[in-house]
Amino acid sequence: MTSRRPNAIARLLLARLHLDRDDMLRTAVVLALSAVIAFAVYPLGEVASALVFVLGITVAGALSGLASALIAALAAFLIYNFYLTEPALTFRIATGGDLAPLIVFNLCALVSGVLAGQLKDHAQAARSSNLQLHSLLALSRQLQSAIRLPDVVATVERAVHDILGAGAALFRFEGGELRSLAPALAEADWRAFAERIAAKAVPQGEGTLLGRLLKPANAPDAVLVIEPLRPGKITPAFIDAVANLVTLALERAALSEQITERQAVARAEQLKTALLASVSHDFRTPLTAISASASSLIAYGERFDPETSAGLLRGIVEECERLNRYTANLLEMSRLEAGGIAQPLQILGAAEMAAAALHRVRPRAGGRQMSLQAPAPDLLVAANAALFELVLINILDNAILYSDDDARVEIAITAEQGACRIDIADSGQGIPEAALRRVFERFYRAGRSEAAGRGNGLGLAIAKGFVEALGGTIEATLPGLDGRGTRITIRLPLAEAAQA
Amino acid sequence: MTNILLVDDEPALIAVLKPVLGAEGYSVATASGGAAALRMAEDIKPEVVLLDLGLPDIDGKDVIRALRATSAVPIIVISARHQEGEKIAALDNGADDYVNKPFEIGELMARIRAAIRRSSSLENAPSTYRSGPLEIDFQTRRVSLAGDTVKLSPKEYDLLRTLALSAGQVVTHKRLLAVGWGSDGADSQYLRVYIGLLRQKIEEDPSDPRLLVTEPGVGYRLASAN
């Protein structure tokens, strides 16, 4: 240990012997000033002048470090010896007293220079660690908002570049092989380096590249590669800290992925349950009516008068139609749910479609007044014909279901800022204000009225899915007609091929 | 003419059942909700109530309880097959029987006839039961199959008697357990064993019972008397 100490001190001193132009300039100025003052105070005695030089050397050391201080000390000694000691204008080192200023000046330079250097180093270190801290904070802040894996990768690249002025890339094990998470950056030598890092073949850096193996708890191992512009400026501890942050971000990304997956599964499960419940509830009633009617006709057919028989047969046909509609609704629901845009799209006349839908629902409309208002020529939209009709029928059925026999139902079609607006309004019971938004949810039935049991809670959900798939909007508002009831407003983009 | 009160919120079902029940000789009144049903039960004093469990306004079980508070009218519940819990709760609350949707009209008519027979037998208890080859004399406790005496243990007889007094109607596990074991919380495994023994003695083919049929998840039903 002791044998090493002189070495250590020598290294310390050597490290302090740094000198640049500014330092020299400052030293020269300080020295010149000291000389001037030393001459000025010379009448007070040699000692006063010597003290002025001591002060100057100290200042030079404090300002510019050890090398400057030593230069200043030598220069000061020469000036002092040449001009200010007897005999003037000669160099003379005759006595020990002549050497004293040289020794004192240099000792003073040494002390002040080393102290100043150390101070500077501390300040530098503080500045640099402050900078690194800020960098880490900035990186952690940016990583915080990166929730999905691609975001994490992009953030690491961008943030490392912005904050450290360095290139960065993330590699990850996928199926036992290390792959770049940002293929654009997958430079071959980076990848090879990442593989060596992963295999622990190289410590933490090689050439200009730095690397860390990341081991997220819930995700495959990854490798972070950083290529700093000035390698010396980045400490290993700092890279470790960055690697920790990235590992945390990877873990969070994996967690959020798992949650998203689980939510998707749960949603699919929910939909399945709801569909099954709908099948068991909504299909059983028409089936019961059909079964009861048909078995009655078999058992009592000859005892019924013709009118009763015809009524039962008509009921069977109607209930079959209802079953058919439910089936179509379920099918379309699962199709829209799967994200299909319900191809094929055709150019359809809105009024024509509305008239067809009116025709289809009229048999079950009872005494309700059903009317259609549309401009001429017809407005054209691009849509799937079967789905468009189903949607209109669903909305009309709702209007019928939730209104009395003497109510009015009106379809109005108007052009509105490049869109085809379809209003379907009724003078029925209306929807409670609080339910206006929810009516478009699957299996939601407004209120618990007699009519609610007869719908299957899919009609408006399908309408919403259909309209939104086509880039349109749908909303429910109050009132409908005559200050009561409901109004459903659909806006669909007008078809480009207006002449089709 | 027998009055039937049909309680259902499904117009389609009412449209079918009303003319058919009429053709069978019943006079039918309808209600589309629980509140209306309770009002009409007061007014027309029906002999049978057909009640759909899924009413829009009042829970079916509460309708049954309210009806039971004032009358012993037979209540037949119309319900979905998978709603065992609902059915059992309805029967526990005083319903007499149920029919699963979708049903054939013959099945519903049989339930209505069994309910009417049972409610009239409450006033003058029948002394015998006879269905196909099976005969029971309640006075002498004699059970015979095609004229031959069948030897039953007392517990077997008690169970069979209970089923026979509600012939054509479902009898819940709970009620049978109470009759046989004095506690409706007893292990229904005992009941299954005893029903198996009874079937050995009265059914032609115990593996394909015709007289004593299982109502899955709810109870057992002995064929209507003929």
Side-chain angles (χ1 to χ4, degrees):
Chain A
M1 286 300 279
T2 31
S3 64
R4 274 193 185 170
R5 187 157 284 162
N7 267 345
I9 291 172
R11 243 185 292 128
L12 183 76
L13 292 178
L14 277 175
R16 300 267 172 262
L17 285 176
H18 171 79
L19 191 64
D20 62 22
R21 235 184 43 194
D22 284 358
D23 289 339
M24 289 197 285
L25 209 68
R26 266 199 297 271
T27 309
V29 170
V30 170
L31 203 58
L33 266 174
S34 310
V36 169
I37 298 171
F39 282 114
V41 299
Y42 185 67
L44 299 178
E46 279 178 28
V47 175
S49 301
L51 283 176
V52 169
F53 276 117
V54 166
L55 185 65
I57 290 163
T58 309
V59 170
L63 284 180
S64 304
L66 183 58
S68 307
L70 288 175
I71 291 168
L74 198 64
F77 170 70
L78 293 178
I79 296 168
Y80 181 73
N81 192 302
F82 192 73
Y83 291 108
L84 298 179
T85 52
E86 288 301 327
L89 298 178
T90 53
F91 277 113
R92 198 186 64 131
I93 301 177
T95 64
D98 295 332
L99 267 178
L102 178 64
I103 293 166
V104 171
F105 285 5
N106 275 301
L107 273 177
C108 176
L110 212 60
V111 170
S112 73
V114 168
L115 282 180
Q118 254 165 1
L119 260 180
K120 219 186 226 164
D121 280 358
H122 282 308
Q124 186 72 39
R127 240 199 325 274
S128 129
S129 76
N130 203 20
L131 205 69
Q132 295 193 343
L133 202 63
H134 271 285
S135 306
L136 284 177
L137 269 177
L139 181 65
S140 116
R141 209 169 22 240
Q142 294 191 22
L143 280 176
Q144 215 122 72
S145 55
I147 299 202
R148 295 174 318 118
L149 184 62
D151 298 340
V152 171
V153 174
T155 305
V156 167
E157 278 168 12
R158 199 187 52 240
V160 168
H161 181 266
D162 291 354
I163 297 163
L164 300 177
L170 268 175
F171 297 83
R172 187 159 87 151
F173 279 104
E174 274 164 25
E177 211 178 306
L178 204 59
R179 281 168 208 260
S180 167
L181 288 174
L185 268 171
E187 290 173 42
D189 50 340
W190 284 37
R191 214 188 117 126
F193 172 70
E195 259 158 20
R196 284 202 296 284
I197 287 281
K200 302 202 167 93
V202 287
Q204 296 171 332
E206 187 181 62
T208 57
L209 293 177
L210 298 169
R212 288 291 185 279
L213 178 61
L214 314 179
K215 288 181 164 295
N218 54 356
D221 287 358
V223 175
L224 172 69
V225 177
I226 292 181
E227 183 179 40
L229 291 183
R230 280 180 294 177
K233 289 266 178 183
I234 299 180
T235 62
F238 179 66
I239 299 293
D240 285 340
V242 171
N244 275 341
L245 283 178
V246 176
T247 306
L248 281 177
L250 287 177
E251 282 176 357
R252 208 180 39 233
L255 267 183
S256 101
E257 225 163 83
Q258 284 163 6
I259 289 173
T260 313
E261 241 165 66
R262 226 162 279 170
Q263 278 171 340
V265 169
R267 256 202 310 280
E269 201 55 43
Q270 234 173 5
L271 176 67
K272 212 154 64 183
T273 311
L275 284 177
L276 279 176
S278 164
V279 168
S280 75
H281 175 271
D282 301 318
F283 283 53
R284 192 164 278 113
T285 300
L287 276 177
T288 304
I290 292 168
S291 170
S293 302
S295 54
S296 301
L297 283 166
I298 292 170
Y300 309 97
E302 66 276 23
R303 271 200 269 159
F304 289 147
D305 54 63
E307 208 178 309
T308 307
S309 294
L312 290 176
L313 285 171
R314 230 181 1 257
I316 291 175
V317 172
E318 272 168 27
E319 293 307 309
C320 283
E321 163 80 1
R322 190 164 143 199
L323 273 179
N324 189 33
R325 244 177 10 255
Y326 283 174
T327 316
N329 273 340
L330 279 178
L331 196 68
E332 294 305 340
M333 188 74 246
S334 43
R335 230 185 262 169
L336 286 171
E337 198 62 34
I341 300 205
Q343 303 286 358
L345 295 187
Q346 286 170 272
I347 304 295
L348 303 167
E352 203 186 335
M353 293 301 294
L358 270 182
H359 180 74
R360 288 281 298 278
V361 302
R362 210 158 252 140
R364 45 184 183 270
R368 294 169 188 79
Q369 277 183 286
M370 318 277 285
S371 63
L372 169 64
Q373 289 176 1
D378 203 352
L379 299 176
L380 301 177
V381 295
N384 173 300
L387 195 48
F388 195 0
E389 187 188 18
L390 182 69
V391 163
L392 291 173
I393 288 175
N394 280 341
I395 297 171
L396 288 171
D397 270 340
N398 270 346
I400 292 170
L401 217 54
Y402 291 92
S403 66
D404 296 329
D405 206 46
D406 56 352
R408 290 201 303 132
V409 180
E410 186 183 281
I411 307 182
I413 298 175
T414 47
E416 189 189 78
Q417 293 163 6
C420 169
R421 175 180 168 148
I422 305 171
D423 280 294
I424 300 174
D426 63 69
S427 61
Q429 306 161 8
I431 301 172
E433 185 119 26
L436 277 180
R437 290 184 146 275
R438 297 201 58 200
V439 290
F440 295 106
E441 289 172 21
R442 283 190 311 261
F443 302 109
Y444 181 79
R445 297 169 215 216
R448 209 173 128 71
S449 68
E450 281 174 37
R454 262 176 285 156
N456 62 3
L458 281 177
L460 288 177
I462 289 171
K464 185 173 157 68
F466 163 79
V467 168
E468 288 181 352
L470 293 177
T473 61
I474 186 166
E475 58 177 339
T477 49
L478 302 174
L481 295 176
D482 311 330
R484 52 192 307 244
T486 315
R487 173 180 300 272
I488 303 287
T489 304
I490 295 176
R491 289 182 185 83
L492 289 173
L494 282 171
E496 307 257 318
Q499 302 307 314
Chain B
M1 197 151 52
T2 308
N3 271 326
I4 293 186
L5 175 57
L6 171 59
V7 191
D8 203 314
D9 62 323
E10 270 294 331
L13 218 54
I14 289 182
V16 177
L17 292 182
K18 205 169 173 181
V20 174
L21 291 171
E24 186 70 335
Y26 299 111
S27 110
V28 183
T30 63
S32 60
L38 292 176
R39 262 198 318 277
M40 293 190 71
E42 281 290 302
D43 291 348
I44 64 168
K45 305 278 181 216
E47 274 105 310
V48 176
V49 175
L50 290 179
L51 176 68
D52 193 322
L53 276 188
L55 293 176
D57 55 350
I58 307 180
D59 189 306
K61 289 189 289 292
D62 295 332
V63 177
I64 295 170
R65 228 174 282 135
L67 282 171
R68 273 288 163 270
T70 55
S71 91
V73 58
I75 302 170
I76 300 173
V77 164
I78 301 173
S79 77
R81 186 175 297 279
H82 65 281
Q83 297 173 314
E84 277 83 16
E86 292 277 295
K87 276 181 285 202
I88 293 171
L91 293 169
D92 284 347
N93 276 296
D96 294 82
D97 208 343
Y98 68 89
V99 57
N100 280 326
K101 286 189 204 177
F103 51 81
E104 269 191 45
I105 202 72
E107 201 184 343
L108 178 67
M109 293 302 184
R111 299 277 190 281
I112 293 173
R113 279 195 301 273
I116 292 170
R117 197 178 305 132
R118 159 121 176 99
S119 81
S120 63
S121 76
L122 285 179
E123 283 142 35
N124 38 0
S127 55
T128 57
Y129 163 87
R130 185 195 308 257
S131 173
L134 181 66
E135 230 176 295
I136 306 171
D137 187 325
F138 297 120
Q139 255 88 53
T140 61
R141 295 172 67 98
R142 179 174 180 272
V143 179
S144 62
L145 200 63
D148 299 335
T149 302
V150 180
K151 284 195 68 112
L152 295 181
S153 72
K155 195 163 283 178
E156 286 166 359
Y157 176 79
D158 287 343
L159 294 175
L160 185 61
R161 180 174 176 274
T162 306
L163 286 160
L165 286 175
S166 295
Q169 295 191 301
V170 69
V171 182
T172 61
H173 293 139
K174 213 167 154 181
R175 228 180 98 204
L176 289 171
L177 285 169
V179 167
W181 289 266
S183 151
D184 60 16
D187 189 342
S188 58
Q189 181 62 30
Y190 299 146
L191 180 58
R192 213 166 296 129
V193 169
Y194 270 84
I195 294 292
L197 292 173
L198 266 175
R199 280 179 177 151
Q200 295 286 347
K201 292 176 180 175
I202 62 171
E203 292 282 359
E204 203 175 318
D205 176 3
S207 64
D208 179 20
R210 301 293 168 90
L211 291 169
L212 178 45
V213 297
T214 301
E215 289 290 333
V218 179
Y220 298 92
R221 188 191 300 273
L222 191 65
S224 306
N226 55 6

